[in-house]
Amino acid sequence: MVKKLIKRGYALLVYLFLYLPIFLLILYSFNDSKYRGSWSGFTLRWYKELFKDRTIVAALYNTFAIAILSALIATIIGTISAIAIHKMSPRWKMTFMNVTYLPVMNPDIVIGISLLALFVALKMHLGFFTILLGHITFNTPYVILAVLPKLKHLNPYLEEAALDLGATPMQAFFKVVLPEIMPGVVTGGLLAFTLSLDDFMVSFFTTGSGVNTLSIKVYSMTKLGVSPKINALSTLLFIGVLSLFVLLQSREKNIKE
């Protein structure tokens, strides 16, 4: 009994340490004062001012546009790559898996500087397109790693049975293989989307003048002090991600039932 209480108390302290700052951020997004040290009353004016700030709205648009596009493209490339790696011989599979792990293990600053050097060498104009390419680059390995476990548990005879029954390779893939590995594909896509939303380092090195993401915008605002509008924006993003998580959990529950 005592051990259970200690374990639960320890877990509670860990979760408080992780989530208390977020709850304080949400609380102060409704604070009428600009300063976090004092509570001046409840207000929604920071949310109103948030959507009046064109620079923040533009950064929000760029962030979601890049996150959605990079997640979709990385999911397609990563799924195809995972299938190709799965069908390789063990020797080649090990080689390609080691190459896949490199972007995951590398610090973001190394990836950002490397991509910047590549884009400069190719004389590419830094902007929205280069940020998108950068996000696709570091997102794709995560999709591969999310899809491969589903392929390993896939019955290899299902595709062969579909082909024997007259289906073309494309029909067998879309009607047999893809539905079986879809949970891994969805997981990889969502992981790519959230990683893209969260990224700062790669975006910072691959962006050009006039193109900001939320992470870059917040970084530039910290030099003059973070506005309560950022608290409001962070609150909306947290609620959005939490809602998405709840929807996915309910979807998985319905599928199991």
Side-chain angles (χ1 to χ4, degrees), residues 226-243:
V226 179
S227 168
K229 291 183 288 187
I230 297 301
N231 293 342
L233 178 60
S234 302
T235 300
L236 293 176
L237 288 175
F238 175 75
I239 293 173
V241 172
L242 182 63
S243 302

Side-chain angles (χ1 to χ4, degrees), residues 69-136:
L69 288 173
S70 64
L72 287 174
I73 298 171
T75 300
I76 295 171
I77 296 174
T79 302
I80 296 172
S81 301
I83 294 170
I85 292 172
H86 179 68
K87 294 186 176 181
M88 290 179 180
S89 62
R91 180 182 177 184
W92 283 106
K93 184 183 293 187
M94 181 63 68
T95 302
F96 275 87
M97 284 304 299
N98 290 333
V99 174
T100 301
Y101 279 119
L102 277 176
V104 177
M105 301 299 293
N106 265 334
D108 287 347
I109 190 170
V110 175
I111 299 174
I113 294 173
S114 302
L115 288 171
L116 175 62
L118 175 64
F119 295 149
V120 171
L122 295 175
K123 297 181 180 180
M124 295 178 64
H125 175 72
L126 297 179
F128 184 92
F129 184 65
T130 52
I131 298 178
L132 179 61
L133 288 178
H135 283 225
I136 294 170

Side-chain angles (χ1 to χ4, degrees), residues 7-18:
K7 290 179 180 179
R8 290 175 182 176
Y10 176 75
L12 179 62
L13 289 174
V14 170
Y15 282 112
L16 279 175
F17 179 78
L18 290 173

Side-chain angles (χ1 to χ4, degrees), residues 235-255:
T235 300
L236 293 176
L237 288 175
F238 175 75
I239 293 173
V241 172
L242 182 63
S243 302
L244 182 63
F245 177 75
V246 171
L247 286 173
L248 286 172
Q249 288 288 355
S250 61
R251 176 180 174 274
E252 289 183 4
K253 185 178 179 180
N254 291 333
I255 290 173

